[in-house]
Structure formats: structure tokens, C-alpha cells
Amino acid sequence: MKPTHAVAGIDPHKHTATIAILDLRGGLHETASFAITPDGLGELLTFLTETELVIDRIGVEGSGALGRPLVVALTAVGYDVREVQANRTAERRRRRRRAKTDIDDADAIARETLSDPHLPPAGKHSAPDPAWDQLTVLSDWRASLILQRVRLLTEAEAVLVSLPIAIRTVLPSTSRVLPQLNALADMLLGQLQRSDRLKVERLLASLADITTLTSRIKDLDKQIPILLAELGCTLTDICGIGPVLAMQLLVEIGDPQRFRAEGQFARWCGIAPVALSSGEGHGPARRHRLDLGGNRAVNSILHTVHVTQVRCHQPAKDFMDRKTSANKTKREARRSHKRQLANVIIRHMWRDDDHRQDRRQRRPTAALTAAA
């Protein structure tokens, strides 16, 4: 009797994980939940071993975060573990008006794993580089500081418009908050009501906090090029990509070798267009639309690079002109250019990773030669 093959989907949380197993026809075979503890992971592996189905692939949502312990345990025993992005299962749930429970989510993850055999491997790295770990911490810290700074500026704007008109009229006529706060700090304020005085004190305290946060962000920015050099990153050679965007790309993408082709990477970050055509018969699709799935952070970075290149990079300007001359709309031309940028970025990362591996292989040889 031939073994029955299946796929599985796992919905991880902070303390528990739920798994759903589907046969290749989409029939739900079994579900179970386990604790995210050493004993719970052992029970999960036993559960997979004792099932009569042969598990071909296991999809894990959040494989670089909450699902990381599961990915490490499953990969260590030889399972083919794939990453399933949360926005793809959410789209499936909205489309079918499904309820939201852990079992339903695990089932949706399994169905996404079954429908797409080309999902990238789970986890951003099998063995993360220490410099990459530092870059991840730096990126999270910097993002947190920026959010704090934005919140203070937003709250300060609401307080500024509530100041007396006599004060507001002498402030700079700009929509930017920081110049107004700086001007307020330099003003000699006369007699004010107690509530207005408290507002000014609050704004001056916010200005001090904003200045401190800005200084911390600048200090972190000075560390980014050092870590990029340790990783051998050349993404900054691409027009429109500075150290901060290069850091964000490395943190979000992780190991570039987990993508076997440019098309797989483009689909992962939502750059590859989705066919939206009718009447083409057996011919190629005539029209495409934006892919609303994929990694939206990387998609946003690629859009930023596109906007920069179109403004000041002649090859990008020529590319957009060729597309519009071929009767493409501006939106279609933009999607085509972002698709080309995705190819350029992943090829850069592949090349950087190959050079880094070559350096690692040469180090032991150089050390032995020096010792002799």
C-alpha cells in the first residue's frame, strides 16, 4: 500500500502552537496543540512521527519570530519547513469569510502551504551571523526611537495649536513642528495664564526629549556602516539605497540563499504582478495587478528606491520612458521597474553572500599558512 502524503500548517503563539494536517486533496486529517516548551516540542515531533501520513512540507507562520523555536526543532530532524506570511492567510480568511481561531488559522496556513510548493524556507537564517544579529537589534532599537520621536512631535502639534494667538502668530509659519518648538524655546514669554504656562513647559520638555531621541538615532546611524562592512554588504552601491535601507533589507530578507530564483524572491516580497486578465485563451495574460500579499516592508523599501531612481537616476528614467512608450500606464511602468529592482537587489545579496563564504573558507587556510 502506497503511503499517503500530506502537508501541515502551524500557527505559533507566545506559549502554544496549533498544527493542522491536510492530505494532498485538501482534506483535514488531524489537528493538535502543543506548548512552546522543550517537552511540548518533543510532543510535537512525536505527534508527527506517529501519524500514518507522510509529511512533505510544514508551513509555519511567523517563522522568524514566534515560530523560530518550532523551525529549529523541525529542521533539526529533517522536515521541509516553509515560511507562510500572515497576510496571505488573512486574505484567504477574508475571501472565504472564515472564523478566526487557532485551528482555523493552522488550517489556513496548511492550505497555503499545499497550494504553493515554492514557498521559501522558513526562518531568516539557519545559522545567523553575529553581525546580522547586531544589525537586527540595531534596526529594532532605531525603529522604536523613531516611533517615540514621531509620537512626541504629533502630540506637540496638538498642543501648539491650543496656545494663545499672540504666541502662535510669532511662531514660524510652517507645518513642521520642530522649528516652531525651537522658536518657542527662544521666545521671552510674558505673563501667561497657569494653563498656558503648563502647555509651554510641556512643549519645552517635549523638545528636550525629541533632541535626546534625535541624538540617539544619529549615534545608532554611525554604527550601521560598520556592521554592513562586516557583512560585506554592497547594497549601498545601488542608486537610492543608503545604509539605513540596506540595513532594513538585510534584516527583513535574512539569508538570500533561501530564495532559489529571482521570481521566488519577487513573489515573497509582493513585487511579482498577479494576472488579472480575461479573453486571452491559451495566450499569456494581457493585464496584471498589484500583489497585495508578500512582505510589505520590503515592498515599501523597493518603492522608496524606485521613487529615488526615477527622480535622479538616468537608467531608471529611460526604463520608465520605454514602458510608457509601449502603452503602459504609469502604474504598470512603476510595477515593472520595482520588479527589475527586486532582481538587482537579490542578485547583489547572492553575490555578497558568495564573497562572504569565500572569505570564511580562506581564513582557515591563511591561519594555517601563518602558523607554519
Side-chain angles (χ1 to χ4, degrees):
M1 182 178 179
K2 293 184 178 180
T4 303
H5 291 261
V7 299
I10 299 180
D11 179 35
H13 292 275
K14 185 183 296 185
H15 302 296
T16 62
T18 301
I19 183 172
I21 299 178
L22 304 178
D23 60 38
L24 298 186
R25 295 176 297 178
L28 181 61
H29 178 72
E30 197 170 358
T31 62
S33 295
F34 305 93
I36 306 294
T37 62
D39 291 339
L41 293 177
E43 293 174 5
L44 170 62
L45 296 177
T46 302
F47 171 79
L48 291 172
T49 303
E50 292 180 350
T51 183
E52 67 269 19
L53 304 179
V54 178
I55 307 297
D56 293 332
R57 295 185 307 280
I58 300 178
V60 179
E61 190 174 89
S63 62
L66 293 176
R68 180 61 183 167
L70 298 165
V71 173
V72 172
L74 294 170
T75 304
V77 296
Y79 283 106
D80 181 7
V81 189
R82 304 297 183 91
E83 177 182 354
V84 178
Q85 292 164 322
N87 52 14
R88 296 195 181 279
T89 56
E91 181 184 1
R92 179 184 292 273
R93 185 167 55 249
R94 286 193 301 268
R95 186 169 64 246
R96 297 188 178 183
R97 299 182 180 179
R98 298 171 62 91
K100 188 184 186 314
T101 65
D102 287 351
I103 293 177
D104 290 319
D105 287 345
D107 178 77
I109 295 166
R111 294 188 185 282
E112 198 67 29
T113 306
L114 177 63
S115 65
D116 189 355
H118 303 296
L119 290 171
K124 294 183 177 180
H125 279 281
S126 55
D129 190 291
W132 186 86
D133 285 333
Q134 295 176 49
L135 205 63
T136 302
V137 175
L138 196 67
S139 177
D140 292 340
W141 189 5
R142 186 180 185 278
S144 174
L145 293 176
I146 289 176
L147 285 176
Q148 294 177 53
R149 187 175 183 272
V150 170
R151 180 181 62 82
L152 287 172
L153 288 169
T154 304
E155 293 176 352
E157 184 177 19
V159 179
L160 279 169
V161 298
S162 68
L163 290 175
I165 295 179
I167 297 177
R168 291 167 54 190
T169 53
V170 297
L171 293 177
S173 57
T174 174
S175 60
R176 299 179 61 199
V177 176
L178 195 56
Q180 294 181 334
L181 292 178
N182 288 324
L184 187 65
D186 296 334
M187 291 175 58
L188 295 176
L189 300 174
Q191 295 295 326
L192 291 174
Q193 294 183 6
R194 182 176 299 178
S195 59
D196 293 333
R197 192 182 309 118
L198 284 174
K199 291 178 183 177
V200 173
E201 291 176 1
R202 175 185 175 181
L203 290 172
L204 295 180
S206 296
L207 177 60
D209 293 340
I210 292 168
T211 303
T212 301
L213 290 171
T214 302
S215 177
R216 289 182 179 176
I217 293 170
K218 290 181 178 179
D219 290 340
L220 294 181
D221 287 347
K222 294 176 182 177
Q223 302 178 42
I224 297 174
I226 300 172
L227 293 173
L228 293 179
E230 289 185 30
L231 292 169
C233 177
T234 63
L235 288 175
T236 51
D237 295 342
I238 302 173
C239 177
I241 298 182
V244 173
L245 287 185
M247 171 187 69
Q248 293 172 350
L249 285 170
L250 289 178
V251 169
E252 287 293 332
I253 295 172
D255 182 8
Q257 300 297 344
R258 65 193 181 115
F259 301 102
R260 296 184 297 274
E262 293 93 341
Q264 187 183 31
F265 171 71
R267 180 62 63 195
W268 174 81
C269 58
I271 294 297
V274 177
L276 185 67
S277 187
S278 180
E280 72 280 356
H282 282 73
R286 298 174 182 176
R287 298 190 65 83
H288 295 79
R289 67 162 175 82
L290 174 69
D291 183 3
L292 299 177
N295 188 301
R296 307 316 297 173
V298 177
N299 196 303
S300 176
I301 293 170
L302 287 170
H303 183 79
T304 302
V305 178
H306 158 77
V307 171
T308 304
Q309 288 197 0
V310 169
R311 187 176 64 246
C312 60
H313 191 49
Q314 192 58 45
K317 295 180 181 180
D318 296 339
F319 181 91
M320 294 294 288
D321 290 339
R322 288 196 304 271
K323 289 297 180 180
T324 53
S325 298
N327 296 323
K328 298 290 186 182
T329 65
K330 187 174 291 187
R331 182 175 295 178
E332 290 170 338
R334 181 171 63 244
R335 285 202 291 263
S336 297
H337 186 235
K338 289 170 67 176
R339 178 66 177 84
Q340 185 191 54
L341 286 175
N343 289 348
V344 172
I345 286 172
I346 195 61
R347 289 168 187 166
H348 260 270
M349 295 188 70
W350 282 336
R351 186 162 57 249
D352 292 344
D353 189 70
D354 291 340
H355 291 166
R356 187 163 56 249
Q357 297 296 336
D358 291 341
R359 287 197 303 271
R360 288 176 178 174
Q361 292 174 2
R362 286 198 297 268
R363 283 175 188 170
T365 304
L368 291 173
T369 303

